[in-house]
Amino acid sequence: MIEIEEKLKSDIEKIKKITLSMLNRDNIISIYLYGGYGRDEGSWVLEKEDGQTRVKPYNDYDIALIVKNKFSLSELRKLEDELKQHLEVKWIDLSQYKTINLKLFKPTIKNYDFKYASKWIYGDKDVLGNIPTIDRKSITLKDVETLYITRLWTLLGSFPEKGLVEMSKEEEMFFRNQMAKSILAIVDNILVLNKDYDASYIKRVKILENHSNDNDLLDLSKWALEEKLFPKSEGMSAEQVKELYEKVNTLYFKYFYSTLSLYYKRKIERPEDIDKYIIYNPMDLIKRKIKKFVLNDERRELNMHLSILQGYIGYYYFNMTKEHADKIKMVMKKEFNFFSDDMDEIRLKVADLRAGL
């Protein structure tokens, strides 16, 4: 679509111009746009104005700087703030790597997508050749665990405190888009399990047909792809909102718990079955202790608690027992100095805290 091509081209020029004006350009080897927009599968809202089609990006721009020496965190934050003032996006995800970092990339979904589906903006076009060849079959179930934890946010932060009710246009669009992300995460889960991952959303949804005969999932995956590419609202009733959420929620835990059962080599049927793996994962435990006691940084520790809380709130949202509610409240009070008897208020607090780490 020509309007999308022109808008993306214009935004890329702004990204390049602002970045090179605010940072030392001699220190920048390359600039890349990655994620959905980097592979020309970004989310675009289409609006009609005076017979013209106006397009604007819906999700965040993911920007990677390849540098000789890393910029300070304050420099990057200033750049993010400036970019947000000139681009119609709520978030900018800005990361930086030295060439040596690229050479040490492991076979993960994120690294695979970055190497094979990024859009060059500035500098050395061949710098990503420093990333080792990544065979999609080498992506492990560890990435499914990461997907499970990160995409749980969509089940918590996707709808307002008033609950699963009729929403405003903006609220509904956000809700639908987050439900689409949940479904596409399930697709990624299945493809990684079957060693058949692809960097393209469109191809992944097509490949899913080779590995699933679940008609509900297949239908929802096609809906999710369209919703991811072109977010919209359709005036859903409260009943329709709840029905969609229940479907997505059920499929999410069904498929992730099935794959995590293989990863942990133990039957996973509920959040309690995962707690010890999140708390006592050897490498993560070491990193948490170093961050907390050596660097006086408790973010990894807090993130662990939030990961567990997200699982309980998402899984038990429709059948929350007093025991589960009390456990959630206890952790919120002890670790985050927050107390409420309203589970929807707690749900959004957890989502806000998770997004802020």
Side-chain angles (χ1 to χ4, degrees):
M1 186 175 182
I2 189 65
E3 291 87 355
I4 290 177
E5 294 175 7
E6 290 177 351
K7 176 62 175 173
L8 183 58
K9 183 179 179 180
S10 172
D11 281 359
I12 286 174
E13 285 302 310
K14 290 178 183 177
I15 291 169
K16 180 171 70 172
K17 182 178 179 180
I18 293 170
T19 300
L20 295 177
S21 68
M22 293 190 65
L23 299 178
N24 177 8
R25 71 167 60 202
D26 291 335
N27 189 46
I28 299 174
I29 299 172
S30 301
I31 305 175
Y32 279 87
L33 185 66
Y34 66 101
Y37 295 102
R39 54 180 172 262
D40 293 318
E41 293 181 341
S43 302
W44 296 96
V45 176
L46 309 182
E47 297 176 337
K48 291 289 186 179
E49 289 185 2
D50 300 324
Q52 300 284 323
T53 300
R54 182 177 180 274
V55 302
K56 62 179 181 179
Y58 189 69
N59 285 323
D60 53 323
Y61 278 144
D62 300 305
I63 303 166
L65 307 177
I66 314 302
V67 300
K68 298 173 184 176
N69 297 293
K70 290 193 174 181
F71 292 104
S72 68
L73 212 53
S74 62
E75 288 178 292
L76 296 185
R77 293 295 172 262
K78 288 178 182 178
L79 176 57
E80 288 178 359
D81 291 341
E82 186 67 19
L83 287 170
K84 281 189 283 189
Q85 290 184 33
H86 295 273
L87 303 168
E88 293 181 280
V89 292
K90 294 181 180 179
W91 303 284
I92 297 289
D93 189 348
L94 189 60
S95 55
Q96 59 178 336
Y97 305 96
K98 296 172 68 173
T99 304
I100 186 63
N101 299 137
L102 301 181
K103 292 178 179 179
L104 297 174
F105 268 19
K106 296 179 180 179
T108 65
I109 287 175
K110 181 178 180 181
N111 293 344
Y112 184 91
D113 289 353
F114 185 41
K115 179 174 176 64
Y116 297 114
S118 294
K119 190 179 294 292
W120 170 82
I121 292 179
Y122 169 82
D124 182 357
K125 287 185 176 181
D126 301 320
V127 72
L128 297 190
N130 286 286
I131 301 175
T133 300
I134 302 175
D135 184 345
R136 62 183 176 178
K137 294 181 180 179
S138 65
I139 299 173
T140 71
L141 296 186
K142 171 63 178 174
D143 259 31
V144 172
E145 180 190 52
T146 301
L147 267 176
Y148 166 75
I149 292 172
T150 55
R151 286 311 191 201
L152 272 171
W153 192 95
T154 65
L155 300 179
L156 272 69
S158 57
F159 55 103
E161 188 175 335
K162 56 190 177 183
L164 295 165
V165 298
E166 189 173 336
M167 304 176 188
S168 69
K169 179 180 178 180
E170 291 75 18
E171 288 172 338
E172 184 190 318
M173 185 180 293
F174 183 72
F175 169 71
R176 291 164 64 97
N177 193 252
Q178 294 303 307
M179 292 299 96
K181 288 183 179 181
S182 284
I183 293 297
L184 293 175
I186 297 170
V187 174
D188 293 351
N189 167 4
I190 294 171
L191 297 195
V192 169
L193 175 64
N194 287 279
K195 307 293 184 182
D196 207 7
Y197 181 79
D198 192 276
S200 165
Y201 289 126
I202 296 172
K203 290 181 181 178
R204 293 203 294 266
V205 169
K206 182 65 178 175
I207 294 170
L208 178 66
E209 297 175 0
N210 299 329
H211 303 291
S212 176
N213 57 6
D214 184 335
N215 289 327
D216 284 342
L217 178 60
L218 291 171
D219 289 344
L220 273 174
S221 68
K222 293 171 185 174
W223 170 86
L225 176 61
E226 176 66 19
E227 201 65 35
K228 175 69 176 65
L229 297 177
F230 301 106
K232 62 184 72 68
S233 60
E234 297 181 344
M236 298 172 69
S237 66
E239 183 179 352
Q240 290 172 320
V241 168
K242 185 177 180 182
E243 180 182 7
L244 176 59
Y245 183 84
E246 285 183 318
K247 281 184 180 180
V248 173
N249 185 298
T250 299
L251 289 171
Y252 188 90
F253 288 108
K254 171 186 174 181
Y255 280 99
F256 272 103
Y257 282 176
S258 174
T259 304
L260 289 175
S261 294
L262 298 174
Y263 179 56
Y264 297 136
K265 296 181 174 60
R266 173 186 170 178
K267 186 68 174 177
I268 303 298
E269 298 179 310
R270 54 185 185 160
E272 291 91 326
D273 299 332
I274 299 180
D275 285 2
K276 73 174 185 178
Y277 296 103
I278 295 177
I279 297 171
Y280 299 113
N281 176 284
M283 285 304 298
D284 193 56
L285 181 61
I286 293 171
K287 289 178 181 178
R288 290 203 315 270
K289 298 304 181 185
I290 292 173
K291 286 279 190 178
K292 182 175 181 178
F293 296 108
V294 179
L295 302 177
N296 196 30
D297 184 348
E298 294 191 352
R299 283 178 297 177
R300 272 189 174 270
E301 191 80 10
L302 296 177
N303 188 51
M304 175 198 71
H305 292 298
L306 291 172
S307 296
I308 292 172
L309 286 168
Q310 285 185 119
Y312 278 82
I313 295 171
Y315 186 81
Y316 291 115
Y317 185 73
F318 291 109
N319 57 344
M320 184 74 64
T321 66
K322 184 179 185 303
E323 179 185 358
H324 294 129
D326 287 346
K327 180 173 182 176
I328 291 168
K329 293 175 188 177
M330 182 270 292
V331 176
M332 287 298 293
K333 185 175 182 180
K334 179 181 177 183
E335 303 298 336
F336 302 99
N337 194 30
F338 179 87
F339 180 79
S340 174
D341 282 321
D342 186 330
M343 193 52 62
D344 276 311
E345 185 178 5
I346 295 173
R347 168 180 61 81
L348 287 183
K349 182 64 176 180
V350 170
D352 287 343
L353 288 167
R354 181 65 182 81
L357 283 181

